Amino acid sequence: MTAAEHIAQEGRLPPVIGTASGGRFHVLDPRVSEVRIEDIAHHLSLICRYTGATSALWSVAAHCLEVSRRVQEHFGGSVYEQLCGLLHDASEAYLVDVPSPFKPDVVIDGELYRGVERRVQVTIFHAVGLPYREPPIVKQVDAEMIYDEVANFFSPGFMWERYAINRPKHNLMPLPPFIAKDNYLQRFTELRDAYRRTL
């Protein structure tokens, strides 16, 4: 089916992907009604960071849980900032985890990946009732996490040299996918409910 035929039939652009819950998600034209937090938690719990090069499954879900926790415990971040930490890679549930070195050059159907990623992120935030922002504290914690992830899940070599691993690491515990999913959903629910109480 051509793009024109797809638009005529569906009223929107391809591509469409299936989700764990049996739904579908239009990556280039996302809708709030297609977003399910259960899908996000499930998908992220099975997607490994660093294209799977880690010594154990260090999932995007586990990474996001750790970012959210550090925003709270290390920086005293607000409930909203903690939620942003948990959801900062939520778009990867639908777009997968594209390696950072070439993410700026990736184009999807004529559009830069970062533009698609942002549109999906905005849709996800709206679907869960949050205004979309990118708090600096989340970006800082996310960047700092790389050092501990490399120190924990890579053998000394290229990645250690690239990130100059020369400091004590904070131990990270890989989570089985079903636990990562459950923990993600539980933290999301707790933080979302706490955020609503601040409104």
Side-chain angles (χ1 to χ4, degrees):
M1 181 183 300
T2 68
E5 290 170 338
H6 194 282
I7 292 171
Q9 179 177 318
E10 298 286 335
R12 60 209 304 196
L13 288 169
V16 181
I17 63 168
T19 68
S21 66
R24 62 182 184 172
F25 190 88
H26 294 66
V27 177
L28 297 181
D29 186 18
R31 305 276 170 93
V32 163
S33 61
E34 296 170 345
V35 175
R36 296 178 185 168
I37 193 65
E38 294 80 7
D39 281 332
I40 292 170
H42 182 91
H43 295 201
L44 296 185
S45 73
L46 290 167
I47 297 173
C48 189
R49 301 247 308 151
Y50 303 98
T51 66
T54 52
S55 59
L57 172 59
W58 179 244
S59 68
V60 177
H63 164 81
C64 291
L65 281 161
E66 184 66 14
V67 169
S68 180
R69 184 189 69 77
R70 290 187 183 194
V71 166
Q72 176 188 16
E73 295 180 4
H74 296 194
F75 295 93
S78 69
V79 171
Y80 176 77
E81 289 169 330
Q82 294 170 52
L83 267 169
C84 289
L86 187 68
L87 295 170
H88 78 279
D89 282 337
S91 62
E92 293 179 7
Y94 306 110
L95 297 171
V96 305
D97 183 19
V98 175
S100 296
F102 57 86
K103 184 181 284 190
D105 302 316
V106 173
V107 175
I108 301 176
D109 199 38
E111 182 177 0
L112 285 174
Y113 175 92
R114 290 196 185 279
V116 176
E117 179 182 49
R118 187 179 191 284
R119 187 163 60 250
V120 172
Q121 278 288 97
V122 169
T123 302
I124 290 169
F125 270 63
H126 289 170
V128 299
L130 295 172
Y132 178 70
R133 287 195 291 275
E134 297 179 330
I137 189 174
V138 173
K139 290 191 170 189
Q140 178 183 343
V141 173
D142 187 35
E144 291 177 355
M145 279 285 298
I146 295 173
Y147 295 91
D148 283 333
E149 289 172 336
V150 169
N152 276 272
F153 302 119
F154 284 84
S155 299
F158 170 74
M159 290 294 279
W160 279 46
E161 295 164 4
R162 180 174 186 179
Y163 292 101
I165 302 300
N166 57 5
R167 65 184 188 189
K169 68 180 180 182
H170 295 91
N171 290 325
L172 298 173
M173 182 65 65
L175 300 173
F178 71 96
I179 292 178
K181 176 181 177 178
D182 287 349
N183 289 357
Y184 191 99
L185 288 172
Q186 180 179 351
R187 184 157 179 83
F188 171 78
T189 300
E190 291 172 353
L191 290 173
R192 180 202 58 196
D193 292 349
Y195 174 74
R196 287 176 176 173
R197 290 193 293 271
T198 69
L199 300 178

